[in-house]
Amino acid sequence: MLRSLRELEVTKRRVLVRVDYNVPLQNGQVTDDTRLRESLPTLEYLLQHRAKIILISHLGRPNGKVVPELRLDPVAQQLENLLRRPVTKLDSCIGPEVSRAISQMKPGEIVLLENVRFYPQEEANDENFARELAQLADCYVNDAFGTAHRAHASTYGVARFLPSAAGLLLEREVTMLSKATKDPKRPFLTIVGGAKLKDKIGVLTDLIGKVDAFLIGGGVAFTLLKAQGARVGSSLVDEKMLDEARQCLEKAREHKTEIILPHDVHAVRESTAGGEQAVVPAAAIPDGWQGWDIGPKTIQIFQERVERAETIVWAGPLGKFEQPPFDTGTREVAQAIARSGAFAIIGGGDTAAALHQSDLSRAKNIHFSTGGGATLEFLGGRKLLPIEILRAD
Ligand code: AMP
């Protein structure tokens, strides 16, 4: 159990809240405010309790330097629009300007500190920096699930110096994901897609022996197919991962965990959607052709598996979903999940984004996880320090 925000004494107190406002920006505007919206339940709870809310987040990868385009001003602006109340944006995270502004805050007011990754001490989890952050507040709330696999000063270090708790978003994520890690209902299926096997091989390997079967699509399938000796034409292959792919297949064989690779693929001759297209066997793709989506037979096989499953975890789109019709596999498998009623977690950034706008986001059996790497590491059974530190003893 995590210590919950509801148990924390927050009324009229200064509360430092770590949020994940790592949102896409274009021309100084937030282009997708999902992450801001997801933090609203925690912020509204704190506003009801008239807390003095001090928000802290990272944005992008400034690598410990001030990068003007990565300042959080557009984020503050969009948050003001959502909350319909002022959000005071400060230009640093620590120092006299910040201390002065916070000392003048009234209950129910909101301050947003600057991009915390402008400080090299953040990613180094520097103890003095964490202590300085802790001095700004009376207590600490972590609601940044998307960053929960990074033990940094603002996600981990600071929790050692203040009474701390999980925010409502973090708490919900951990409750949902724990349903898949603790005694999941079987059959337990994991669907893996996306472009980079490097990002997914960790969770794949971690889950061998824990799940009953993997369904693999997307670009990642071709490295595994090639590792088995298949001809994959010019499809996406990560040559450096072939050895790891072989080891992963071997481990799955030892543990009798099924790995189901595509039977057929929807391929294109050139790397443009306007090029010649055909459905070809996944293990015999002609030279010069690239598999861009799972084929109809594979969709059918995946759907049949999904219909029988009780627990499903899915990370990574099954094709180049940004370019219809190569979103067909991803959409049809998602619809089968919604119909199946199985408890499903869809995570890993792009997959959730690919399906979030569709009706599926209303399917009651599907939890769209806000994390990418954090979701995968949690599901793979790894300990995430920023979450561990919030566990009630
Ligand atoms: P990831 O960030 O690893 O989850 O990868 C997501 C990306 O994988 C999306 O942009 C998809 O277009 C891409 N993708 C999925 N399937 C394929 C494929 N068969 N070939 C190339 N890219 C793919």
Side-chain angles (χ1 to χ4, degrees), residues 193-196 199-200 218-219 222 236 291-293 316-322 348 350-351:
K196 284 166 261 139
D199 294 349
K200 309 270 163 59
F222 299 109
L236 191 70
W292 275 17
D293 195 10
L318 299 177
K320 276 190 170 240
F321 71 93
E322 300 94 336
D350 267 336
T351 328

Side-chain angles (χ1 to χ4, degrees), residues 341-371:
F343 170 66
I345 294 169
I346 299 185
D350 267 336
T351 328
L355 301 170
H356 212 68
Q357 283 95 342
S358 68
D359 287 349
L360 293 169
S361 57
R362 284 195 285 278
K364 293 229 165 23
N365 59 317
I366 303 178
H367 170 66
F368 285 91
S369 178
T370 56

Side-chain angles (χ1 to χ4, degrees), residues 32-339:
D32 178 351
D33 65 359
T34 310
R35 287 191 157 160
L36 270 57
R37 290 174 190 278
E38 277 156 350
S39 73
L40 295 181
T42 290
L43 300 190
E44 274 152 13
Y45 176 91
L46 290 170
L47 287 169
Q48 278 160 17
H49 289 77
R50 310 213 20 87
K52 299 174 185 174
I53 305 172
I54 306 158
L55 299 170
I56 186 163
S57 177
H58 75 285
L59 174 65
R61 294 175 187 217
N63 291 324
K65 288 196 263 325
V66 175
V67 176
E69 308 83 74
L70 294 177
R71 287 196 180 277
L72 285 174
D73 300 68
V75 171
Q77 183 62 55
Q78 183 59 16
L79 190 60
E80 280 195 350
N81 298 343
L82 290 172
L83 286 168
R84 290 170 213 232
R85 58 170 71 225
V87 173
T88 306
K89 159 70 182 31
L90 303 181
D91 291 333
S92 30
C93 290
I94 50 172
E97 180 217 4
V98 175
S99 306
R100 199 173 329 110
I102 291 175
S103 69
Q104 289 166 2
M105 283 176 85
K106 296 191 187 62
E109 286 186 352
I110 305 172
V111 154
L112 174 63
L113 304 179
E114 188 52 277
N115 187 345
V116 66
R117 287 200 190 156
F118 285 178
Y119 296 81
Q121 305 96 305
E122 162 67 355
E123 294 187 58
N125 187 24
D126 179 86
E127 190 172 321
N128 287 330
F129 183 63
R131 202 173 274 136
E132 281 188 83
L133 291 177
Q135 279 162 4
L136 304 176
D138 302 304
C139 53
Y140 168 75
V141 171
N142 188 351
D143 214 18
F145 180 72
T147 326
H149 55 320
R150 307 271 182 242
H152 294 166
S154 72
T155 60
Y156 177 65
V158 64
R160 292 162 43 213
F161 301 115
L162 284 175
S164 49
L168 302 180
L169 171 67
L170 184 69
E171 187 178 48
R172 182 174 141 77
E173 285 278 8
V174 170
T175 305
M176 288 302 197
L177 302 195
S178 299
K179 281 204 208 179
T181 51
K182 285 191 195 128
D183 202 16
K185 282 200 192 162
R186 290 178 184 277
F188 183 176
L189 209 61
T190 293
I191 307 174
V192 181
K196 284 166 261 139
L197 184 61
K198 195 162 164 281
D199 294 349
K200 309 270 163 59
I201 194 111
V203 69
L204 239 158
T205 311
D206 287 345
L207 286 173
I208 290 172
K210 295 181 187 154
V211 306
D212 299 301
F214 291 99
L215 307 179
I216 316 256
V220 302
F222 299 109
T223 306
L224 290 158
L225 281 163
K226 186 160 181 183
Q228 282 186 332
R231 279 178 52 212
V232 297
S234 321
S235 304
L236 191 70
V237 169
D238 188 344
E239 300 284 340
K240 286 198 219 90
M241 294 299 295
L242 283 171
D243 277 343
E244 272 190 72
R246 273 185 214 104
Q247 284 161 19
C248 178
L249 291 165
E250 182 56 37
K251 185 175 171 194
R253 247 191 313 274
E254 280 166 19
H255 286 79
K256 300 198 166 49
T257 303
E258 267 186 292
I259 294 196
I260 302 169
L261 292 166
H263 177 88
D264 56 354
V265 293
H266 189 177
V268 295
R269 193 199 272 279
E270 289 153 14
S271 51
T272 58
E276 204 182 330
Q277 302 179 15
V279 172
V280 295
I285 303 174
D287 289 343
W289 287 73
Q290 300 182 337
W292 275 17
D293 195 10
I294 53 173
K297 177 77 187 155
T298 309
I299 293 178
Q300 193 194 334
I301 295 169
F302 283 16
Q303 283 175 329
E304 282 165 12
R305 289 292 181 146
V306 161
E307 273 157 28
R308 277 186 273 143
E310 289 289 345
T311 305
I312 300 171
V313 164
W314 182 2
L318 299 177
K320 276 190 170 240
F321 71 93
E322 300 94 336
Q323 297 185 41
F326 303 98
D327 58 339
T328 310
T330 305
R331 266 191 305 103
E332 297 220 348
V333 171
Q335 277 153 7
I337 294 177
R339 282 196 304 273

